[in-house]
Amino acid sequence: MGAVNRVNLRSSNSNHTVAHAALALAERAYADGKADDAAHLVEIAHRLFGAAFENAYGSAGLSN
């Protein structure tokens, strides 16, 4: 596996991990009655999951 692919996979894993953390924070914010904050955190998680997918997809040698 090339160096670029390894970097893409690391970035993908990091984005995926942070997205899960954002979802956990969104859950807590919603439970605390902060629906607007929760919605923003869910949007951030959505973007991070998308970035993780794009990085992993690129690492597999596939392109859009």
Side-chain angles (χ1 to χ4, degrees):
M1 178 183 292
V4 171
N5 287 342
R6 282 193 299 271
V7 169
N8 283 344
L9 283 175
R10 279 191 213 115
S11 178
S12 178
N13 288 339
S14 295
N15 287 338
H16 185 255
T17 300
V18 174
H20 276 288
L23 287 177
L25 289 171
E27 245 184 303
R28 178 178 283 170
Y30 188 78
D32 289 344
K34 299 176 182 175
D36 287 341
D37 291 344
H40 289 296
L41 287 163
V42 168
E43 177 61 29
I44 290 167
H46 180 262
R47 290 179 186 195
L48 286 166
F49 279 126
F53 174 78
E54 288 177 14
N55 286 337
Y57 194 70
S59 294
L62 305 171
S63 61
N64 295 342

